[in-house]
Amino acid sequence: TAEMIQSWEDRANQGDAYAPFQLGFSYQNGQGVKKNLIEAAKWYRLGAERGDFHAALTLADMYRKGEGVQQNEAKAIEWYVKVGKSVGWYAPIARANLLVLAKNYSLGGEGVKPNKTKAKALFERLFEIETALMDRGQAEMNESIQKANEAADSINTTPDDVFDNPTKTQE
């Protein structure tokens, strides 16, 4: 496994977006290396900055819990929002984490005392995410409609009279 760790480090140092997650996971769980949450957070941050949403989600969780980094709810929320606006497996998890946090501030729970101001701010961030998702969906739908219209316009249609008189040929 030392060779695997070295391979991931080499790939990460060459700009690979996903190797940092593997390193972060290894350090977080002590697989192939000594467990080190600070080192794990470093690698997750690098992966997150390169666009790996799994790394970003894990980093957000670490900020929320204060594992390997100084606890920082604001940074956790920013990463959750960024991941929540993405497409893929991790987006709904990030949105769910924000929703649970908003619920906890709204009603109290999981060691969080009710704070209506924070709850409202989190619900606004969730609305921001949903708006971004709807805007992206609308843009994709508009693009599909445009392509369908262009395809329809490019089809050579047969004049109506060919259907009315099958013996007549098209000129």
Side-chain angles (χ1 to χ4, degrees), residues 12 44 46 52 54 62 95 98-100 111 140 148-149 160:
Y44 286 137
L46 181 62
D52 180 346
H54 194 182
M62 292 179 86
R95 294 191 302 267
L98 278 172
L99 185 60
V100 168
E140 290 171 359
N149 286 337
D160 289 337

Side-chain angles (χ1 to χ4, degrees), residues 15-71:
D16 185 286
Y18 302 104
F21 174 83
Q22 298 299 332
L23 287 163
F25 185 86
S26 295
Y27 280 103
Q28 185 178 26
N29 296 289
Q31 294 183 346
V33 292
K34 185 176 180 179
K35 185 174 180 172
N36 183 332
L37 294 179
I38 294 170
E39 192 71 10
K42 175 186 105 172
W43 288 110
Y44 286 137
R45 185 177 298 106
L46 181 62
E49 289 169 353
R50 290 181 180 171
D52 180 346
F53 292 117
H54 194 182
L57 180 62
T58 306
L59 181 62
D61 290 340
M62 292 179 86
Y63 274 121
R64 187 175 45 83
K65 298 173 187 172
E67 294 177 349
V69 293
Q70 184 173 359
Q71 189 172 15

Side-chain angles (χ1 to χ4, degrees), residues 8-167:
W8 287 331
E9 277 191 38
D10 292 344
R11 288 176 38 211
N13 290 329
Q14 293 169 2
D16 185 286
Y18 302 104
F21 174 83
Q22 298 299 332
L23 287 163
F25 185 86
S26 295
Y27 280 103
Q28 185 178 26
N29 296 289
Q31 294 183 346
V33 292
K34 185 176 180 179
K35 185 174 180 172
N36 183 332
L37 294 179
I38 294 170
E39 192 71 10
K42 175 186 105 172
W43 288 110
Y44 286 137
R45 185 177 298 106
L46 181 62
E49 289 169 353
R50 290 181 180 171
D52 180 346
F53 292 117
H54 194 182
L57 180 62
T58 306
L59 181 62
D61 290 340
M62 292 179 86
Y63 274 121
R64 187 175 45 83
K65 298 173 187 172
E67 294 177 349
V69 293
Q70 184 173 359
Q71 189 172 15
N72 188 325
E73 191 174 89
K75 284 185 179 183
I77 290 167
E78 287 309 312
W79 281 113
Y80 284 141
V81 169
K82 185 171 185 168
V83 175
K85 289 180 181 180
S86 72
V87 177
W89 294 87
Y90 306 105
I93 298 168
R95 294 191 302 267
N97 287 350
L98 278 172
L99 185 60
V100 168
L101 194 57
K103 178 206 68 93
N104 288 342
Y105 277 117
S106 182
L107 305 172
E110 295 184 33
V112 175
K113 293 182 181 177
N115 182 324
K116 300 299 181 188
T117 303
K118 283 188 175 184
K120 181 179 182 223
L122 285 166
F123 283 119
E124 287 171 354
R125 296 307 304 266
L126 283 161
F127 182 73
E128 171 190 334
I129 292 169
E130 295 306 318
T131 300
L133 295 176
M134 287 187 295
D135 289 346
R136 184 172 54 235
Q138 183 67 51
E140 290 171 359
M141 187 169 35
N142 289 344
E143 183 180 339
S144 293
I145 290 169
Q146 181 181 351
K147 286 180 181 179
N149 286 337
E150 289 169 3
D153 290 344
S154 71
I155 296 173
N156 286 330
T157 56
T158 306
D160 289 337
D161 63 343
V162 172
F163 292 109
D164 294 336
N165 185 355
T167 58

